[in-house]
Structures are given as C-alpha cells and as structure tokens.
Amino acid sequence: MQGYTQPVYPFAAIVGQDEMKRALLLAAVDPQIGGVLIMGHRGTAKSTAVRALAQLLPPPATNGLYAEMTVEERLVRFPLFAESESAARKKAGAPMVDLPLSATEDRVVGSLDIEAALKRGEKAFQPGLLARAHGGFLYIDEVNLLEDHLVDLLLDVAASGVNIVEREGFSVRHPARFVLVGSGNPEEGDLRPQLLDRFGLYTQVETITDVRLRMELVRRNEAFLNDPQAFLEQWEPAQRELRETIARARERLEAVTVPDRVLKRIVELCLRLNIDGHRGEMTLTRAARALAALQDRQRVTAGDVRRVAVMSLRHRLRRDPLEEIDSGEKIQQAMQGLLVGR
Amino acid sequence: MIRPFLGLRDPLFALSLLAIDPHLKGVLIGGPSGTGKSALARAARVLWPEGTPFVEVPLHCTLERLVGGRALFGGGQRASISPPNKGLLARAHGGVLFVDDIHLLPLPLLAVLVQTLSSGEVCLEREGLSCRYPSRFVLVATFNPQEAPLPELLLHSVAFTVQTHTLRDLETRMYLAGQQGQGLIIPADIVQSVQEARRILPQVNLVEKHLRELCAVATRMGVEGNRCEFFAVRCARANAALHRRVPVTRGDVDLAIRLVYLPRVGESVLPGGESGDQPAEGHQPPQRKASNEQPRPDQPAEAHWENPNSRDGNRSAGGGEADGQRSAARARQLFRDLPLAGGQVEIPELPEPGRPAMGSPVQGGRRGGLLNFRGGRYIRAVPGSPARGRVDVLATLKAAALDHAIRSRQAAQGWRVQPHHVHIKQFERKSGWLFLFVVDASGSMVLNHLDAARQAALQLLQQAYIHRDRVALLTFQGEGAKLVLPPGGGISRARRALQVMRTGGRTPLSDALSKCMTLAVRARQRWQVAGTVLVLFTDGRANQPLQPVKGRDARKEAAWREVQQLALHLRSHLDAAVVFDVRVLHIPGGPAEQLARWLGATYLHFSQTGRKTLAAQVAGLVRPGPPGR
C-alpha cells in the first residue's frame, strides 16, 4: 500500500458510545471472538472508532501469511511475498486492512502481478487483501452496501480460513484467517443473515442525546480539526494507557477461568432465548473472559456475562418481524428471569 | 442583494456558507427542473478562490473513473502500463465535486462517493493497484425529487439540503430571461462577502450558551446522528463571518437550526418523492414557520426569504377548486404518459421471470442475472472495443502474449497489443425482483385484518431481503398513496413505517396503482431488476378517484373505473401479482377478486389460508425458486 497518512482521531477521545467501544476492545483482546459489527445511524463515530482501534493494537507477533509458509513455498510459489512482507514489517501496528466498496475481485483474492509480467516478463502472484488481512482485521465500512459477489467470496473464505485462487493460470491456496469488522446503517439495506452470523459481536450505536455529551463531542471535534497534532499529544497519555491495558489483557487472557456456575448461567441464557447452534454460548463465554482480562481479573463473574450478553447474542435471536421489543431488551429480560428463577 | 435570485435564495445562501467553510461538506439542491438549480451550482464556482478544482461527475461515470484505475496504453504500440490514473474523487481534492441530478447516479457509485466524503481519502484496490489518495472535497449536487427519492445516506453526509422554488415573480423571470445566453451570474458583492468571510472565519467564536442551545435543540428535535450539531455550529459561525460579525449571535443560531436541523427531521425530507407536484411537503411548512417566527433585521440575506406564493404548492393546505384542478391536470398527465412510458423505456435483455403473470404463456429460457458490460459479478472477458465496456487488462495482455508466443515461438517478450487483442469485461448483475408491497390503510381497513396484513407484509419483506430482492412499500389512505419505503431501503425502516402507519380516511386505490406503475418502470430503468412482483393488501374498496368528482356515489363509481383502467395497464408491467383480500367477510366474486382478475393476479383470502402459513403461501406463489442465481 502506497500513499500518505492522515491523522487518526484517538480512540480514548471518543465521546460516549460505551457499548461500541467495549465491543471493539474485546475483539482486540481476543480476536477469536470473531469480529464486531457496528450498526447505527450516520454520524455516530462508527468508522472513526474502528480506525482509532487500529492505533491501539500491538504489532502482530507472527506477521501474517508469510510466517506460516515453508521456505519452499515462499520462494517458489510467492516470490513477491518476501517483498510485501518486509514492507508490512516496517509499519507499526496490527494489520487493519480496509476493504473499500470499490474493490475489485482480483485485488481481494489476489491475481497476476501485471507490472512484473510486463516489465520483467515474470508470472508472479500479487497477493490480495485477504492475504494482507491474514492474522489481523479486515474492515468493511458500509458493509451492507458491499456488492453481492464480494460478500459471497468473503463468506467462503471466512468459513474455510483458506483462500483458493484459480485464475489467470494460477492455482494458489493460502491461509486467510482474519477478523471481520464491519459498520453500516441498517436503514440503507439489510445484511444477509449468513454474513451477520460471521460476526462475533453486534453492537448498535445510537445518536447521543445527552446535551452535555453532545457539547463535549463538538468541542473535541473542533479541537481535533483545528490542530490535530496538539490534540493527539493531549490524548497520548490516555492512549498509552489503553494500549497497555489491551496488551496486559492479551497476556492474561489464557489464565482467565470460567467457573462452572457462570458457564451454566451462560448456557441457560442461550437455551432460554432459543438460540440455534453453539456459536452463541461460545462467543458469550469468550467475550466475558476478554472482559475479565481487560479488568485485570482472573475469574469471570456473572456481572461480566451480563455486560456482554446483549452484544454477543443480539444478532442470533430468531427474528419476529413485528415484535415491538428490541432484541437487546429481550435478552435483558431473559437475564432478569434467570435471576428471579434462582 | 439576493433579489434577482428569489427562487434560489436558500441554495445560494447555503453555497455561500459552504464556500466559507469546507467542513460543512456539501449542499444538495433540490427542485423541479427548470428552476435554475444546475445553472446556479455551476455559477457558484466563483465563490471559491480562483484555481480551486471544480470537478463534475457525469451520470454515465464508471466506478473506475470515479475512484481511479489503470489504463492500458496499447493499440499497435509497445505495450505499457500507465501509472495509476487518479479518479475524479481524488482530482476534486481541495475543491468542489459537482454532480448534476445526483438522484440518478447509480447506487454503488453514490455509496463510494459518500464514503469518500466522510473519510477524506480514496482507498483504491482495483486491477492490481493498491494505493490511497487524499480526497477532501465539498459536494455540490442537484436533484429532482419528482424523479426519484434521494437516498438517505446522502442527506446525513452534508450540512445542507435546500429547495429551489418555482420562480413566480415577474422580476426574477425577467432577470433570467435577460440573462439568456450568459447563464446565471452571481453578483460580485456576494463573491466579495464570501471571500472576506473566509478570512474572518477563524476569529469567529461561538459562546458556550449558543453551543448548548444548538445541542439541546438537536436533542429536542430528535435529529439523527451526532454530525448535525457539528454542522450546525459550523453553519452558525460561517453565517456570522458572512455578515462580518466576530461573535456568533442568536440569529446565526436560528439560521443553523433552520438550515441544518429542519431538513433532517420528520420521517423523510422528501416524502412522496415519486408523487410529483409537492416536492417538499412536510419539509417546507415548518421551515417557513420558523423563519416567520424569527425575522432578524440584522440578517440582510434573510430579509426576502418568505415566499408567500410557494404556499399553494402544498396540496394538503386545503380542498377547493384549485386543488381539484391540479389533481385533474395531474391525472391527465399520468394517463397521457402511461403508454409512452412503456414505449420509451429501453429495456435491457431481460431474463425470463420465474413465474410469468397469470394468463401469459409460460416461456422457457435462461433464468439468470442480466449480462452486461457495466457492472456486477465478473463473468468473462470477451473480445471487444474499449468503447463498449471496461478493458480487461489481464485478458488483453494474455491474448497479446499468447499471440506473440505462438507466432514467434519464444518466451513472451516485447509484446505488442493489437486492437484485436483487446478484451472487455462481461458482468452479470444479480438483478433479483422488485417486490412492491401495497397496503391499504384507509378507514375501512380498521374493520379488517389490518394487523394480519402488516404481519404478513413484514414476513414477506424479510424473506425478500434474504433473497436479495428489492423491496418497496407503498401505503394508501386519505388523499393519496405514499411511498414509505423506496426500493432498496432497509427492513428496520419498513418495520417502523408499518408500525407508525397512519390509518383512516378515504381509499385512494387508483393513486396507489398509478404509483406502482411508475415504480415498476423506474425500477427496470434504474436498478435493472428482473421483474416486478406486486403484493396488494386490499379490501377492494376505492372511493377516492384521481379525477375530482362531486357526490359520493359518483366518486365511488369514478374511482372504480380508474382502478379498472389502471389495473389493466399495470398488468403488462408486472411479472407476478397477488391480491390479498383482507375483508373479514369473504364474498366470492367481490371487488378484490375482480381487481385480481384485472391485474392477472392470484387472489387470496383469509378464509382460504391460516394466518401463520399465509406468508409462506404468498411467497410460494410468487417465488418458485430464486431468480438470477
């Protein structure tokens, strides 16, 4: 990726939207939660938050695809990978790869390197965005407006973890495991259920209506626009703290335990909500563990579960189209019911 | 000073503010054709400093031209590849991007445009290219609400959506007539004030009190998103600068509320974008009211804002003779246009619908998307001229290399691309269907199964989304039919619309049918859907004709005659239809069943189907298998 960089609004300075921020932090602590989908009105800092998150991520330990290949594969099959790999290494931070709406299929999956072919007569494979996102995050802004053929392709790869390229005489397979992060406005078009299912957490953002928060938001936006450098410096201590918290939580994560009592609660909740499959309770457990790790605790509590239940389960409920109550409320009610039932 | 621009006052004002502060992002100028909105937008160039990029996006623009890409230099010379071509978005960096008739811009292009507008950069991942360009620009666009509803994603991305009024006063018309050939010229004093305002702007300050008021009003009015208060603050400051004031005054705050918040509230800024003669109903009345309440002597530009003549553009203002005449004229217009609309539409090669309308012969053939050279899923490269579509660089190179290798029996070196090597891309568009849900919400429906109709409509809507069809929802009651969900809107919006649906009043079934026709034709043009499926929930009553008639019985009779005529016309535009009789009492051969016959539709009644399975039955009737895949 060549180009320039523009200043990124710091994560720590985002006003309100606590659920969204929490979801993003959890995904950063444990990528296995399976990504985050942020849906809400325009102008609610969705893409700002995602781009800001990328600034908080520690550099990846194994730098993507290259690390998983044998030497032979590197040299024979992907002569260009070495080049892109060293370029990637120079960049700080984890790969947060943008998948723009205007992307073409060849750039997503990878294809013949035209320049190498024409300039040097080489038939070389130019890896695509899926290869670049391997081991990191793939971000799709306006995910519900992404063209169908790209969605199909993403679903295939996300399900199998392998990208298979059969085109232009290439026959390439490479691992492509990435965390999907998406954002969009649900009123502009719906997400296909298959794609919805690929996201671990679903958070809904709403317009902030608290007048004082709104004022603070305007003030910070103005300050950032007027002097981004000064603003970033002002927020650097808070950012550093967040970065350290995430790094600590990542280390701690494996040690966090889930007591049977809490696990039982998780399963009961999913049963009560009639959630199909096991992805619901697995995500909920992982999210609760990540939250405990973020707060520097060894054990998951019922409180952790309560605080991540809505975002882990909201998109997994069977939808009754005319139901007045929101899925989030339904989950809250089910949790209340469990408490009372004891 | 704005006197000669009476009908264009608001747009010119918004453009001036935008020219002062680019963080206001853009101005959308809406209005009927012939009100000078494009002329104004082009003329407004002078508001920006000389040398500012002013890039126009043509409607036939390809995605490639918009975001950039790679062109192949070839055709007899030595093959080479050009450096990446900057797209129009990147070229507009630091300047103005102008789109005339933005409502006609294809949705994929619009989405990319809006994304770039808010992120300020172009992220290019196309045809072997991978790069980023800065692309911070302001958007100036025009739209015609009579032709198509403006996608909502656009409204919230820019500070201003303003309307032009029909120019009625003699003076303005004379001025414009006198300007003919020269177009519209923005007076030098306005240009000068804007220039000066840009210099003043950094010093303008907005006190805490005003910031609090702007935020509180945003909350009180329920404006969506938190970008609006930011726009409002900027708008107030720009206005202060325009009037050479350093502290922001109460008047500036009021102006920001009027220009930024008001167009954003209500269920839609442009209700009835399809309905023709009332482009800004629901938007203008409160706007006028607000400026009525707060006439500020300290704002010269506001002095002429009140335009009493525009009031009669609002049909709901009263009944009476004028109203009747207008709807009569509209109906005449409609009937005159109908046969033409069918003939004028350029229908692309359509796949066979999964299930043809009842009564027409069953046809075989390929059931897939539309093959085309414009966009969708890439299918294959076919030899062809670059004029017909997008060049497939790889296929072209491959053809040239193979050709060379075969001829010279050597490794491919020094290829030459000949014209006959050029391949262009062929795409398939998963076109899907347009599902047109039409729900009767008139007074008589209260006695019927309105709730069940809602329920069934929503279940069907949900299914349609899963299959990636386009869904539109039209309700009719009182004076006319209303498009509450334009094709392609999200289901949450549909749900909300159905829940808060207004009920009661007369039954304007003919208006609903005529709007269906317009939608069906447009859907084919704009979204290239494979076909249209009508799902009509009605009790078969109609008592509000398009043509005004006196007397209750006469009205009923006229309405029913119109319904018959329209249904027979509409039939040829539909690929399948279901009429769902929601009357509690089932009368065999009743009006709803008759309507179904005219439409060539399947007729269903509650007594024939359990409520639960209803949606499934309707779905099965219209969809034996998903089209286009």
Side-chain angles (χ1 to χ4, degrees):
Chain A
M1 173 89 64
Q2 30 173 288
Y4 73 108
T5 49
Q6 55 178 20
V8 179
Y9 191 88
F11 193 89
I14 295 172
V15 177
Q17 309 296 9
D18 294 329
E19 196 195 70
M20 169 179 75
K21 286 193 279 191
R22 191 186 304 148
L24 284 171
L25 288 178
L26 295 178
V29 171
D30 184 1
Q32 292 200 47
I33 286 172
V36 186
L37 178 63
I38 307 166
M39 297 298 268
H41 291 160
R42 302 204 140 257
T44 44
K46 299 183 297 283
S47 59
T48 307
V50 176
R51 293 184 202 289
L53 180 75
Q55 308 290 310
L56 294 181
L57 297 170
T62 59
N63 206 339
L65 186 55
Y66 191 63
E68 287 192 18
M69 278 191 297
T70 64
V71 177
E72 194 185 293
E73 270 176 330
R74 286 178 206 168
L75 293 179
V76 178
R77 297 186 63 190
F78 314 109
L80 280 182
F81 269 29
E83 203 178 306
S84 71
E85 192 59 27
S86 62
R89 262 179 207 291
K90 276 180 215 153
K91 274 209 287 181
M96 170 77 83
V97 176
D98 261 312
L99 174 57
L101 290 182
S102 63
T104 53
E105 204 173 306
D106 63 292
R107 279 302 305 137
V108 178
V109 296
S111 70
L112 174 77
D113 186 321
I114 305 174
E115 247 171 287
L118 276 179
K119 286 188 183 149
R120 300 188 292 274
E122 283 172 24
K123 184 183 164 193
F125 181 72
Q126 184 188 25
L129 295 175
L130 294 177
R132 204 189 290 159
H134 178 64
F137 295 78
L138 187 68
Y139 175 48
I140 313 165
D141 189 17
E142 312 287 2
V143 60
N144 46 345
L145 298 180
L146 193 66
E147 289 228 30
D148 270 353
H149 66 280
L150 289 180
V151 173
D152 290 341
L153 204 147
L154 273 182
L155 284 173
D156 273 356
V157 178
S160 64
V162 180
N163 180 29
I164 301 169
V165 188
E166 296 284 353
R167 53 187 296 162
E168 291 131 17
F170 283 104
S171 183
V172 173
R173 287 168 73 90
H174 67 72
R177 277 187 295 279
F178 48 84
V179 179
L180 270 181
V181 179
S183 61
N185 181 350
E187 302 208 346
E188 280 155 17
D190 272 23
L191 216 55
R192 268 150 75 189
Q194 304 96 305
L195 187 59
L196 198 61
D197 207 42
R198 284 280 144 212
F199 290 95
L201 307 176
Y202 180 114
T203 119
Q204 216 160 293
V205 282
E206 314 236 315
T207 305
I208 295 174
T209 53
D210 184 286
V211 176
R212 281 163 68 192
L213 284 183
R214 281 193 121 139
M215 289 167 72
E216 185 57 27
L217 200 144
V218 173
R219 275 191 219 109
R220 286 189 195 172
N221 268 345
E222 294 270 320
F224 178 65
L225 273 185
N226 290 341
D227 189 351
Q229 227 36 58
F231 191 76
L232 287 175
E233 272 164 36
Q234 183 198 337
W235 284 92
E236 187 47 33
Q239 287 277 93
R240 198 181 311 125
E241 199 177 317
L242 263 176
R243 247 179 247 128
E244 282 162 11
T245 310
I246 293 175
R248 258 204 318 276
R250 279 190 164 199
E251 278 168 30
R252 176 175 289 276
L253 185 68
E254 285 316 307
V256 177
T257 58
V258 188
D260 281 352
R261 180 173 50 82
V262 175
L263 201 57
K264 189 168 163 235
R265 188 80 162 272
I266 289 173
V267 176
E268 273 173 359
L269 181 64
C270 291
L271 279 176
R272 185 171 279 232
L273 288 166
N274 276 326
I275 290 169
D276 299 325
H278 299 289
R279 218 175 253 167
E281 51 247 44
M282 275 157 53
T283 308
L284 180 51
T285 313
R286 284 210 162 268
R289 281 181 66 196
L291 185 64
L294 259 182
Q295 300 185 341
D296 234 342
R297 278 184 281 106
Q298 292 273 353
R299 315 178 98 202
V300 172
T301 65
D304 293 331
V305 176
R306 204 165 45 236
R307 287 166 63 196
V308 296
V310 173
M311 62 173 85
S312 312
L313 302 178
R314 183 178 249 148
H315 50 308
R316 301 175 203 277
L317 300 192
R318 276 193 219 132
R319 281 214 243 163
D320 185 353
L322 254 198
E323 197 140 51
E324 296 284 333
I325 78 164
D326 169 68
S327 317
E329 270 172 56
K330 215 164 151 188
I331 297 168
Q332 299 279 12
Q333 282 175 10
M335 283 192 291
Q336 289 290 332
L338 276 179
L339 272 176
V340 175
R342 252 144 218 281
Chain B
M1 67 179 178
I2 300 188
R3 187 66 192 155
F5 294 92
L6 204 60
L8 298 168
R9 218 166 18 204
D10 276 8
L12 177 58
F13 207 68
L15 284 166
S16 305
L17 296 177
L18 180 69
I20 295 168
D21 185 355
H23 291 298
L24 290 166
K25 292 287 188 187
V27 177
L28 308 174
I29 308 169
S33 56
T35 47
K37 52 192 193 311
S38 310
L40 175 69
R42 289 207 173 86
R45 246 187 117 140
V46 297
L47 295 175
W48 280 271
E50 221 170 298
T52 304
F54 188 92
V55 177
E56 182 161 353
V57 178
L59 289 180
H60 54 80
C61 180
T62 58
L63 194 54
E64 191 135 33
R65 240 186 108 195
L66 196 64
V67 298
R70 177 122 69 182
L72 177 73
F73 294 145
Q77 293 161 21
R78 201 185 149 82
S80 64
I81 44 176
S82 66
N85 265 344
K86 274 194 179 181
L88 296 178
L89 293 175
R91 263 185 257 164
H93 178 60
V96 183
L97 191 76
F98 173 56
V99 191
D100 205 8
D101 286 331
I102 199 166
H103 57 285
L104 298 176
L105 196 68
L107 196 64
L109 268 69
L110 194 67
V112 169
L113 195 157
V114 169
Q115 203 174 42
T116 312
L117 188 62
S118 52
S119 71
E121 60 180 4
V122 177
C123 183
L124 185 61
E125 296 287 350
R126 293 175 70 79
E127 331 264 79
L129 287 174
S130 175
C131 44
R132 270 170 203 269
Y133 294 113
S135 174
R136 285 184 294 279
F137 56 86
V138 295
L139 176 69
V140 174
T142 69
F143 65 100
N144 185 344
Q146 294 177 353
E147 287 179 8
L150 191 65
E152 275 208 20
L153 76 166
L154 206 51
L155 299 179
H156 295 281
S157 309
V158 298
F160 304 119
T161 305
V162 285
Q163 304 282 339
T164 56
H165 304 292
T166 317
L167 304 173
R168 281 170 213 264
D169 69 315
L170 192 65
E171 211 178 310
T172 311
R173 290 196 163 191
M174 279 169 63
Y175 169 80
L176 282 178
Q179 288 289 314
Q180 237 173 21
Q182 291 178 56
L184 226 146
I185 295 168
I186 291 179
D189 51 346
I190 295 184
V191 178
Q192 211 178 346
S193 330
V194 168
Q195 279 170 0
E196 191 140 334
R198 262 196 298 268
R199 276 197 302 275
I200 302 174
L201 186 68
Q203 287 130 49
V204 175
N205 67 350
L206 181 121
V207 292
E208 193 80 356
K209 185 180 77 183
H210 292 323
L211 175 62
R212 184 176 308 114
E213 167 153 20
L214 281 174
C215 290
V217 170
T219 293
R220 212 161 49 231
M221 289 175 69
V223 192
E224 185 187 304
N226 291 108
R227 210 177 287 155
C228 60
E229 55 260 41
F230 178 71
F231 284 146
V233 165
R234 293 254 157 191
C235 171
R237 290 179 51 202
N239 191 49
L242 188 61
H243 295 94
R244 291 172 200 158
R245 278 185 259 109
V246 173
V248 166
T249 64
R250 187 51 220 262
D252 300 324
V253 171
D254 288 345
L255 179 91
I257 292 170
R258 194 183 85 88
L259 275 186
V260 179
Y261 291 165
L262 276 177
R264 286 165 201 258
V265 291
E267 57 177 356
S268 165
V269 178
L270 307 160
E274 80 295 348
S275 75
D277 61 349
Q278 33 179 338
E281 174 199 358
H283 157 51
Q284 283 182 346
Q287 180 169 325
R288 273 194 296 272
K289 198 168 141 228
S291 61
N292 259 346
E293 282 165 355
Q294 291 127 6
R296 301 268 147 199
D298 56 332
Q299 288 179 32
E302 265 186 314
H304 300 298
W305 274 4
E306 181 65 17
N307 182 357
N309 286 335
S310 61
R311 177 128 217 130
D312 60 9
N314 186 353
R315 189 173 50 169
S316 61
E321 203 50 42
D323 251 11
Q325 277 174 7
R326 219 175 1 264
S327 33
R330 184 152 145 262
R332 273 199 300 279
Q333 179 73 28
L334 238 156
F335 279 101
R336 206 173 46 234
D337 286 351
L338 285 180
L340 269 180
Q344 279 175 341
V345 181
E346 196 190 329
I347 297 173
E349 38 171 329
L350 281 171
E352 306 303 333
R355 176 183 166 282
M358 259 168 67
S360 62
V362 179
Q363 294 168 320
R366 184 172 173 274
R367 277 220 338 244
L370 296 163
L371 285 181
N372 68 88
F373 293 106
R374 275 182 289 176
R377 178 199 281 269
Y378 173 86
I379 300 291
R380 63 178 80 85
V382 297
S385 143
R388 283 176 63 211
R390 284 156 57 184
V391 172
D392 188 321
V393 179
L394 295 172
T396 304
L397 291 180
K398 211 150 71 178
L402 276 175
D403 202 16
H404 174 88
I406 292 166
R407 278 165 203 265
S408 63
R409 292 164 191 273
Q410 279 173 15
Q413 267 180 354
W415 307 339
R416 273 163 196 280
V417 177
Q418 308 285 343
H420 68 270
H421 292 144
V422 174
H423 280 58
I424 57 174
K425 294 174 174 178
Q426 191 173 42
F427 303 92
E428 182 190 49
R429 207 184 277 285
K430 265 197 202 177
S431 46
W433 300 89
L434 171 67
F435 274 77
L436 207 49
F437 287 83
V438 183
V439 180
D440 184 350
S442 67
S444 63
M445 280 293 284
V446 181
L447 300 170
N448 296 317
H449 296 295
L450 185 60
D451 277 337
R454 281 184 193 174
Q455 184 95 32
L458 266 172
Q459 276 174 19
L460 285 168
L461 277 167
Q462 210 154 30
Q463 283 179 17
Y465 278 115
I466 293 171
H467 293 285
R468 299 310 269 175
D469 294 310
R470 284 180 186 277
V471 175
L473 176 67
L474 214 97
T475 62
F476 58 103
Q477 58 82 230
E479 293 289 308
K482 195 168 164 199
L483 182 69
V484 293
L485 180 76
I491 194 164
S492 48
R493 194 162 153 204
R495 187 180 301 134
R496 208 173 56 199
L498 277 175
Q499 272 162 2
V500 302
M501 181 164 89
R502 234 178 94 188
T503 52
R506 289 185 186 159
T507 319
L509 180 57
S510 25
D511 189 35
L513 293 181
S514 79
K515 276 176 184 158
C516 284
M517 181 115 56
T518 318
L519 269 175
V521 172
R522 286 222 184 103
R524 230 165 237 190
Q525 284 177 298
R526 182 162 182 214
W527 293 294
Q528 298 162 10
V529 296
T532 304
V533 178
L534 174 76
V535 184
L536 174 62
F537 293 86
T538 176
D539 56 1
R541 270 171 57 112
N543 57 15
Q544 173 73 10
L546 291 167
Q547 309 247 20
V549 179
K550 288 231 164 70
R552 200 162 147 238
D553 290 339
R555 209 163 43 222
K556 255 185 167 169
E557 206 177 299
W560 194 241
R561 247 198 332 272
E562 280 177 4
V563 166
Q564 178 177 8
Q565 280 184 29
L566 280 163
L568 292 172
H569 268 299
L570 181 58
R571 181 185 186 144
S572 60
H573 292 275
L574 298 176
D575 297 274
V578 181
V579 170
F580 176 31
D581 191 348
V582 289
R583 213 182 253 257
V584 178
L585 214 69
H586 182 214
I587 310 167
E593 198 164 348
Q594 177 140 47
L595 175 59
R597 259 203 308 282
W598 290 334
L599 282 169
T602 307
Y603 170 79
L604 275 178
H605 186 268
F606 261 117
S607 60
Q608 299 164 337
T609 144
R611 273 185 204 211
K612 275 200 172 163
T613 57
L614 191 117
Q617 283 201 22
V618 178
L621 276 167
V622 291
R623 183 197 298 286
R629 69 214 81 183

